[in-house]
Amino acid sequence: MIGQVQYEKTLQELRPKLREGMEVEAVLEFLKGRGFSQIACIRAVGDLGICPATEAKRLVHHSRAWSSMRAQNEALQEGLAKELRKDI
């Protein structure tokens, strides 16, 4: 978990790199390497202006940087969906 100061400092560090053409995948790997969670990465993608917040979740979920977590996240979402359907 990162704090707000580290979050802001990291985004300040990334902005010039993005202007110089840093690829989105490299940005996500950079953020993950700095201790950003998936949720913090989603927020950062929006705050950096890479894409709208509505698109950021999909971008992070399908990224190479977070590919090791994809199966686990999808299983969790499916399990939640099944539980919610039981209540209907």
Side-chain angles (χ1 to χ4, degrees):
M1 176 100 121
I2 60 160
Q4 188 64 29
V5 172
Q6 182 183 353
Y7 179 88
E8 293 297 332
K9 184 178 176 182
T10 303
L11 266 57
Q12 285 178 350
E13 189 176 345
L14 276 171
R15 285 187 176 99
K17 294 176 187 274
L18 278 166
R19 284 192 296 271
E20 293 169 5
M22 186 177 201
E23 297 289 329
V24 173
E25 217 26 85
V27 170
L28 294 174
E29 289 170 2
F30 183 89
L31 293 170
K32 186 177 181 185
R34 292 291 174 97
F36 278 53
S37 66
Q38 280 183 292
I39 293 171
C41 284
I42 292 167
R43 178 180 167 209
V45 164
D47 288 347
L48 289 167
I50 293 172
C51 68
T54 54
E55 178 78 11
K57 180 184 178 290
R58 186 198 62 75
L59 181 77
V60 172
H61 177 72
H62 292 287
S63 71
R64 187 176 57 243
W66 289 98
S67 63
S68 64
M69 298 293 296
R70 191 172 304 127
Q72 179 182 349
N73 289 339
E74 289 173 357
L76 173 65
Q77 290 176 11
E78 182 59 33
L80 290 171
K82 283 180 184 178
E83 288 300 315
L84 290 172
R85 286 192 295 265
K86 287 181 182 178
D87 293 339
I88 295 176

